[in-house]
């Protein structure tokens, strides 16, 4: 499978601080790529630059062959890159199903005029049905019409995922999806992420929890101080000396 | 039996259009059973409800705190009168020019201010509202100054002059027209995008919603609807003058939406009806101090019942079922 996302020499500086330095990696179609690194390694910055939240200082990001760096977040989403937030950000005034429908925003065919003239009903029904399927897929079926304020943290995370899937992404970005979840919820989440990849959607998973990420990812990129220190298969990365350094400190390197 | 009858009345057997038509006929027919005074009160009530519905979309659904709704109502009212009786434009052209003027002003305010944070929209629209009154007062023979413009009549259309309770029917049509547009928008991807922008703009953008564009469209659309309502208002009293379009009424509109329940069409209707009629009941008791009662109501709503009266009704009906 070819690459869906290509990141080349991506650099992001905040004043004098270089958060990401000349980072190269790619995500292939249908794969789960893990990005790992200790706190402050530049994972979330990389994520936000790809999603269009921060402008980059330099480098190039191509999605499906097209450069996307510098596009506003809504444009990047409409091209098929959807994301979840590390701290759940639901639309508090909307029930669960409508939160998911907002995720499908860019997929509605009806123009504003046809909405005003009342000729856009069929599109709405079809999208709603699809959103219901996604709510089922993440396991929130019974909470379809619930007020999002009544969801637990873990359920809120599942809602984030259903909402991102509603945009029919070709690439989905997960920002530390396991953060704050119970072990049981983590297991369920891993299952869902595998299910997403099985649908042919590429997954970029940013995580600092190795125990969650390594069994899940097909390939792993390791960051430290904004630079890539290793990449490869999970087992290779696990045994890589630079990774052990970064995670455990230099004296822990086995001889 | 009763439940069955209700279902029959509500769904399937009646197309959407027919339901709108029946609502319009019932609301219009009421005007024919009223005296002149009550008909006048009724017309103003219908106009307030229309404005509240539009403002609710802007403030309650899209989360934009704007104080320009009455300025646009005024731009609509003054422009139709000036275009018809000073520039002597044909009626349809005058209407279109009035709408175009509202859209132009709305874009001029919305494009720069919605790109900034909400606070700036409030300031910009407050400034527009104040500026509009100054322009009306200082407008010389064009706007008629502080006295406004009077002594004109609705031109004949197709050889007929709509008046009396029939004109109330025109206002009902305006209300139904406004509501049907807002309801359709609200039930669509656009309405959801507006609510998403209100609740969490950053997450909305990540879902593909163009936040600035959504805000500008919602502002322009509701402002244009206020302008159309203003055009209809111009022939209610056959006079337009500055005080009607001032900031006080813009605040009253905000109060109506908050007390009724922001973000809900039914809330806007309840709030508008209640706060419009309240002074009639209160004035024998407190004279002109009804603003004090409004203030207490608004503060109480914000502190204890952010969902407004419609939210209270929801809780009541949920606890009963």
């Amino acid at each position: 499978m070819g690459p869906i996302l290509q990141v080349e020499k991506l650099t992001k500086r905040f004043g004098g601080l270089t958060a990401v330095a000349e980072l190269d990696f790619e995500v292939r179609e249908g794969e789960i790529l893990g990005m790992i690194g200790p706190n402050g390694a530049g994972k979330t910055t990389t994520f936000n630059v790809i999603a269009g939240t921060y402008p980059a200082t330099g480098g190039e990001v191509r999605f499906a062959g097209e450069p996307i760096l510098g596009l506003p977040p809504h444009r990047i989403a409409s091209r098929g890159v959807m994301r979840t937030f590390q701290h759940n950000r639901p639309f508090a005034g909307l029930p669960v199903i409508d939160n998911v429908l907002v995720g499908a925003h860019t997929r509605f065919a009806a123009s504003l005029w046809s909405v005003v003239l009342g000729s856009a009903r069929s599109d709405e029904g079809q999208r709603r049905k699809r959103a219901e399927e996604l709510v089922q897929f993440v396991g929130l079926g019974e909470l379809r019409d619930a007020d999002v304020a009544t969801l637990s943290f873990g359920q809120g995370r599942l809602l984030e995922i259903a909402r991102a899937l509603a945009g029919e992404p070709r690439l989905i970005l997960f920002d530390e999806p396991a953060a704050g979840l119970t072990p049981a919820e983590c297991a369920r989440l891993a299952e869902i992420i595998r299910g997403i990849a099985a649908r042919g959607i590429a997954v970029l998973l940013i995580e600092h929890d190795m125990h969650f990420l390594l069994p899940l990812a097909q390939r792993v990129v390791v960051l430290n101080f904004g630079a890539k220190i290793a990449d490869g298969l999970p087992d290779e990365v696990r045994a890589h000396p630079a990774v052990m350094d970064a995670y455990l400190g230099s004296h822990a390197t086995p001889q | 039996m009763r439940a069955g009858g209700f279902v029959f009345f509500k769904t399937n057997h009646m197309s959407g259009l027919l339901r709108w038509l029946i609502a319009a006929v019932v609301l219009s027919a009421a005007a024919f059973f009223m005296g002149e005074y009550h008909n006048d009160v009724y017309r103003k009530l219908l106009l307030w409800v229309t404005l509240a519905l539009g403002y609710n979309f802007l403030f309650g659904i899209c989360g934009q705190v704007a104080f320009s709704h009455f300025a646009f109502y005024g731009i609509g009212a003054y422009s139709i009168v000036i275009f018809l009786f000073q520039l002597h434009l044909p009626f349809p052209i005058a209407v279109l020019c009035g709408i175009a003027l509202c859209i132009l002003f709305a874009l001029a305010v919305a494009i720069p201010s919605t790109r900034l944070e909400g606070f700036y929209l409030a300031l910009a629209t407050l400034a527009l509202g104040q500026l509009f009154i100054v322009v009306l007062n200082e407008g010389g023979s064009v706007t008629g100054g502080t006295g406004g413009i009077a002594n004109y009549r609705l031109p004949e259309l197709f050889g007929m002059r709509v008046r009396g309770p029939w004109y109330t029917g025109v206002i009902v049509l305006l209300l139904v027209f406004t509501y049907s547009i807002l309801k359709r928008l609200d039930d669509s991807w656009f309405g959801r995008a507006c609510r998403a922008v209100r609740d969490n703009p950053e997450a909305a953008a990540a879902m593909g919603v163009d936040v600035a564009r959504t805000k500008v469209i919602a502002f322009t659309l509701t402002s244009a609807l206020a302008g159309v309502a203003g055009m209809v208002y111009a022939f209610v009293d056959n006079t337009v003058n500055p005080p009607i379009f001032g900031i006080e009424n813009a605040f009253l509109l905000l109060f109506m939406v908050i007390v009724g329940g922001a973000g809900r069409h039914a809330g806007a209707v309840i709030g508008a009806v209640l706060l419009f009629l309240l002074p009639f009941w209160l004035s024998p008791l407190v004279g002109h101090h009804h603003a004090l009662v409004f203030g207490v109501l608004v503060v109480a709503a914000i502190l204890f019942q952010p969902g407004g009266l419609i939210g209270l009704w929801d809780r009541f009906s949920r606890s009963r079922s």
Side-chain angles (χ1 to χ4, degrees):
Chain A
M1 286 283 203
I4 183 86
L5 184 79
Q6 293 160 289
V7 176
E8 286 159 21
K9 300 210 176 307
L10 186 69
T11 301
K12 173 67 187 175
R13 276 191 280 273
F14 294 102
L17 176 84
T18 304
V20 179
E22 308 236 321
L23 179 63
D24 292 303
F25 72 93
E26 61 179 39
V27 185
R28 297 170 195 154
E29 281 179 53
E31 86 167 336
I32 302 175
L33 179 76
M35 181 174 280
I36 201 162
N39 283 330
K43 304 184 298 287
T44 296
T45 303
T46 303
F47 187 100
N48 282 324
V49 169
I50 295 170
T53 315
Y54 299 157
T57 312
E60 184 71 273
V61 175
R62 259 190 283 275
F63 175 71
E66 306 268 324
I68 57 167
L69 215 53
L71 292 180
H74 68 266
R75 284 267 153 81
I76 293 176
S78 69
R79 293 201 175 195
V81 182
M82 297 295 281
R83 66 169 291 178
T84 65
F85 288 93
Q86 186 184 338
H87 305 285
N88 298 342
R89 290 191 180 185
F91 304 115
L94 295 175
V96 167
I97 184 78
D98 284 58
N99 265 268
V100 176
L101 277 163
V102 175
H105 179 79
T106 60
R107 303 299 160 205
F108 281 89
S111 71
L112 201 60
W113 285 116
S114 69
V115 166
V116 170
L117 298 174
S119 57
R121 295 257 163 81
S122 57
D123 195 18
E124 177 77 19
Q126 189 195 333
R127 288 286 150 201
R128 193 165 280 274
K129 201 162 151 260
R130 174 102 184 88
E132 278 166 17
E133 286 165 17
L134 289 170
V135 171
Q136 290 284 351
F137 172 71
V138 299
L140 293 177
E142 273 153 36
L143 295 165
R144 207 188 70 164
D145 299 312
D147 186 340
V148 292
T150 65
L151 300 188
S152 71
F153 184 81
Q155 289 167 334
R157 184 59 51 74
L158 297 173
L159 174 59
E160 289 269 317
I161 296 170
R163 190 173 71 173
L165 285 173
E168 295 177 1
R170 293 176 68 192
L171 171 67
I172 184 162
L173 310 173
F174 285 103
D175 190 3
E176 307 218 359
L181 299 190
T182 65
E185 286 171 335
C186 280
R188 173 94 189 95
L189 175 68
E191 205 179 297
I192 289 171
I193 292 174
R194 281 198 191 93
I196 291 169
R199 293 174 167 212
I201 300 167
V203 173
L204 173 58
L205 188 58
I206 287 176
E207 189 52 72
H208 72 253
D209 181 359
M210 288 228 250
H211 301 292
F212 175 74
L213 184 97
L214 292 181
L216 188 57
Q218 280 140 16
R219 287 191 309 125
V220 178
V221 172
V222 188
L223 296 190
N224 199 18
F225 300 112
K228 184 163 80 174
I229 56 171
D231 67 357
L233 301 174
D235 285 340
E236 293 168 7
V237 164
R238 199 197 307 264
H240 199 289
V243 177
M244 302 188 94
D245 257 15
Y247 265 82
L248 303 168
S250 53
H251 299 296
T253 312
Q255 296 304 309
Chain B
M1 191 62 195
R2 266 178 68 199
F6 182 70
V7 169
F8 168 78
F9 199 74
K10 200 173 178 193
T11 54
N12 303 342
H13 303 278
M14 219 186 290
S15 75
L17 196 68
L18 193 60
R19 244 189 293 159
W20 291 118
L21 209 67
I22 289 175
V25 168
V26 170
L27 285 172
S28 307
F32 289 87
F33 299 97
M34 293 175 189
E36 207 167 312
Y37 170 73
H38 282 108
N39 197 2
D40 183 57
V41 172
Y42 183 53
R43 289 167 166 190
K44 306 266 161 72
L45 173 65
L46 291 170
L47 284 166
W48 273 105
V49 169
T50 307
L51 287 171
L53 282 166
Y55 190 68
N56 175 53
F57 196 94
L58 183 63
F59 167 71
I61 293 176
C62 204
Q64 298 188 56
V65 183
F67 297 102
S68 52
H69 219 68
F70 261 88
F72 285 102
Y73 188 58
I75 290 170
Y78 267 87
S79 66
I80 189 86
V81 172
I82 291 168
F83 289 157
L84 278 177
F85 306 109
Q86 294 185 10
L87 302 179
H88 303 288
L89 296 177
F91 188 77
I93 307 286
V95 170
L96 289 179
C97 287
I99 295 173
L101 202 65
C102 287
I103 290 175
L104 225 64
F105 271 104
L107 288 174
V109 175
I111 290 175
S113 52
T114 50
R115 286 177 188 277
L116 303 166
E117 294 297 310
F119 177 65
Y120 293 93
L121 182 71
L123 279 187
T125 52
L126 206 57
L128 177 76
Q130 298 286 37
L131 194 68
F132 180 64
I133 298 300
V134 173
V135 169
L136 291 185
N137 283 331
E138 305 297 324
S141 61
V142 178
T143 64
T146 49
I149 309 171
N151 296 323
Y152 57 82
R153 288 165 79 190
L154 185 67
E156 291 187 5
L157 292 172
F158 310 113
M160 288 183 303
R161 180 168 280 128
V162 183
R163 54 191 196 181
W166 292 101
Y167 195 72
T168 308
V170 173
I171 302 174
V172 169
L173 282 182
L174 167 82
L175 170 60
V176 172
F177 165 79
T178 303
Y179 178 62
S180 69
I181 288 181
L182 294 173
K183 174 96 173 92
R184 277 172 182 163
L185 286 173
D186 187 32
D187 290 345
S188 76
W189 53 266
F190 183 75
R192 271 192 306 272
C194 287
R195 288 173 194 267
V197 165
R198 172 198 67 189
D199 289 348
N200 196 325
E202 202 183 325
M207 296 304 118
V209 177
D210 187 337
V211 173
R213 186 165 174 268
T214 303
K215 283 181 175 176
V216 168
I217 291 175
F219 184 83
T220 307
L221 220 133
T222 53
S223 297
L225 285 174
V228 174
M231 292 181 195
V232 173
Y233 166 75
F235 301 99
V236 167
D237 291 334
N238 287 331
T239 171
V240 285
N241 49 65
I244 303 288
F245 308 112
I247 293 298
E248 294 79 8
N249 278 339
F251 274 100
L252 183 52
L253 201 56
L254 178 71
F255 293 173
M256 286 173 169
V257 170
I258 290 175
V259 169
R264 299 275 299 273
H265 301 297
V269 174
I270 292 171
V273 170
L274 184 75
L275 291 202
F276 177 76
L277 293 179
L278 213 51
F280 291 94
W281 300 322
L282 284 179
S283 55
L285 303 172
V286 295
H288 289 298
H289 300 298
H290 56 256
L292 202 67
V293 179
F294 285 8
V296 172
L297 269 178
V298 171
V299 171
I302 292 171
L303 286 182
F304 305 114
Q305 183 55 36
L309 290 171
I310 192 76
L312 208 62
W313 166 253
D314 282 351
R315 254 195 303 179
F316 172 71
S317 55
R318 219 177 299 141
S319 67
R320 262 199 341 174
S321 67

